[in-house]
Amino acid sequence: MIVDCAIYRDGHRAQGPEDFSDALAAARAAGGFVWVGLHEPSEQEFGLVSEEFALHPLAVEDALKAHQRPKLEIYDDSLFVVLKPVMYEPHSDVVSTGEIMIFLGDSFVVTVRHGESDGLAVVRHRLEQEPEMLGQGPTSVLYAIADSTVDHYLVVATELQTDLEELEAEVFSPDRGGSRHTASRIYNFKRQITEFRRATGPLALPMARLAGTGAGVFSPPVPFVDDKARPFFRDVSDHLTRVNESVEGLDRLVSDILSAHLAQTSVQQNDDMRKISAWAAMAAVPTMIAGIYGMNFDHMPELHWTWSYPAVIVLMALLELLLYRQFKRRGWL
């Protein structure tokens, strides 16, 4: 559905015609721009918008179907940028992503949002409180959305780091409480980090191109983006680099924690097997002696001796005590 449509002149929201074509003409005549916001539009709704703003059909198809990687594509009449905002639920350790598609032209911005994130309403409200920035044109909208998205990446990365430290403490706790499900928790945590990486990793190149550092010094500037905005996009790119480094560190750490947990489990199993083997060896000695004297042969040494039974019992007890002390000394029991 169409969430909002507004004309901005000199950084201030202005009243204008509701028809997209008339609004665009009015914005161009006044030196402003139109910002149309949509949330999961239908094909019919977006068909009207794409026709009025002459959006490229391939970009329109991507915006309708969603499930795109972060990217930057340049067309004749517009710029198409895909961002993936990330939400994290600490109680369930689940990372979820939405999608924001941005069409940027000479006098218009069309944003298409998929998912439950309400970040665009916050960005629009914040920009309307900063007319000096909003007066820079459509580029300011692209920068504000990218900056808000990447800044939230930093928040999510911090929350993931906190939860991972708790998981690490659980793995290395002396009592290893709840270790029965620890491996599945670690694996699930690794999957969430992978989901986070799918949103942050591919965005590095588009941000570098917008900052003017992604395709070489002599590469042509990105159209529809004001050259004065490059330092601002470099700042966003630097923040994104920090996020990607943090994600890489989290991924390595969770892999190390999983390896440590598996090693602990293996050591614990070895300890259990040694204890079982020690008790089995201790049980084998009296079983062997009882088996020998239970063969019912007539001509066996000490078979008819009066003290045979107590002597065998004492022998068994002494051998058991000797084996127990030996296994105890070696740490098997």
Side-chain angles (χ1 to χ4, degrees):
M1 64 178 179
I2 299 175
V3 178
D4 199 356
C5 176
I7 298 176
Y8 295 92
R9 299 189 185 99
D10 299 324
H12 297 278
R13 185 165 181 150
Q15 295 294 329
E18 296 182 357
D19 180 78
F20 294 140
S21 180
D22 294 340
L24 182 59
R28 284 173 174 166
F33 69 94
V34 180
W35 182 358
V36 180
L38 303 100
H39 177 234
E40 298 181 357
S42 65
E43 186 173 351
Q44 182 178 3
E45 289 175 333
F46 199 59
L48 177 62
V49 175
S50 63
E51 182 180 352
E52 295 292 346
F53 292 97
L55 304 180
H56 197 278
L58 292 178
V60 170
E61 181 181 359
D62 289 345
L64 286 173
K65 291 184 177 180
H67 303 293
Q68 303 295 314
R69 298 173 75 247
K71 61 182 179 179
L72 166 64
E73 293 181 349
I74 300 173
Y75 297 102
D76 294 336
D77 299 320
S78 63
L79 192 70
F80 181 56
V81 180
V82 178
L83 304 174
K84 294 182 76 70
V86 173
M87 289 73 69
Y88 179 59
E89 178 53 54
H91 299 293
S92 57
D93 295 341
V94 173
V95 171
S96 58
T97 58
E99 289 185 48
I100 298 176
M101 283 81 168
I102 305 169
F103 295 87
L104 194 72
D106 58 344
S107 301
F108 69 87
V109 180
V110 177
T111 55
V112 182
R113 178 170 59 88
H114 292 268
E116 299 301 323
S117 172
D118 58 351
L120 289 185
V122 176
V123 171
R124 187 188 287 264
H125 178 73
R126 190 183 70 200
L127 277 175
E128 289 177 352
Q129 305 305 312
E130 301 178 11
E132 184 176 350
M133 176 180 289
L134 194 57
Q136 301 302 315
T139 303
S140 63
V141 177
L142 176 60
Y143 161 72
I145 296 174
D147 184 58
S148 175
T149 301
V150 173
D151 283 348
H152 193 67
Y153 287 165
L154 290 169
V155 175
V156 172
T158 302
E159 293 176 344
L160 285 170
Q161 179 68 42
T162 301
D163 286 356
L164 187 57
E165 290 173 357
E166 295 177 358
L167 186 59
E168 183 181 21
E170 177 184 332
V171 170
F172 292 103
S173 63
D175 55 354
R176 278 173 283 183
S179 60
R180 180 179 179 183
H181 304 291
T182 302
S184 61
R185 281 195 61 198
I186 297 174
Y187 181 73
N188 179 67
F189 204 93
K190 189 173 181 63
R191 290 187 61 185
Q192 304 312 313
I193 293 176
T194 301
E195 184 70 18
F196 190 21
R197 177 187 286 176
R198 290 196 186 104
T200 63
L203 187 58
L205 182 57
M207 284 297 106
R209 292 184 63 187
L210 290 171
T213 60
V217 178
F218 301 102
S219 61
V222 178
F224 309 109
V225 175
D226 192 340
D227 290 340
K228 296 179 181 179
R230 286 193 173 192
F232 296 93
F233 284 111
R234 279 200 294 270
D235 181 66
V236 177
S237 182
D238 289 341
H239 289 177
L240 183 62
T241 299
R242 287 174 50 196
V243 171
N244 284 326
E245 290 174 352
S246 178
V247 172
E248 290 292 334
L250 288 171
D251 188 61
R252 287 194 299 269
L253 183 57
V254 76
S255 296
D256 292 342
I257 291 175
L258 180 59
S259 298
H261 175 69
L262 294 177
Q264 281 186 333
T265 302
S266 178
V267 169
Q268 180 63 38
Q269 290 176 344
N270 289 337
D271 289 342
D272 293 340
M273 287 302 299
R274 286 193 300 179
K275 291 178 181 179
I276 293 172
S277 300
W279 287 111
M282 293 173 61
V285 171
T287 302
M288 180 187 67
I289 296 175
I292 292 174
Y293 280 92
M295 291 188 292
N296 296 324
F297 293 127
D298 288 334
H299 303 288
M300 291 183 67
E302 295 87 24
L303 188 61
H304 300 288
W305 184 37
T306 304
W307 297 101
S308 295
Y309 178 74
V312 169
I313 295 299
V314 171
L315 177 62
M316 289 181 181
L318 290 175
L319 290 175
E320 290 294 298
L321 180 61
L322 179 63
L323 287 173
Y324 180 82
R325 292 185 59 186
Q326 188 70 12
F327 289 137
K328 194 71 174 178
R329 185 181 298 119
R330 296 192 176 186
W332 283 39
L333 291 175

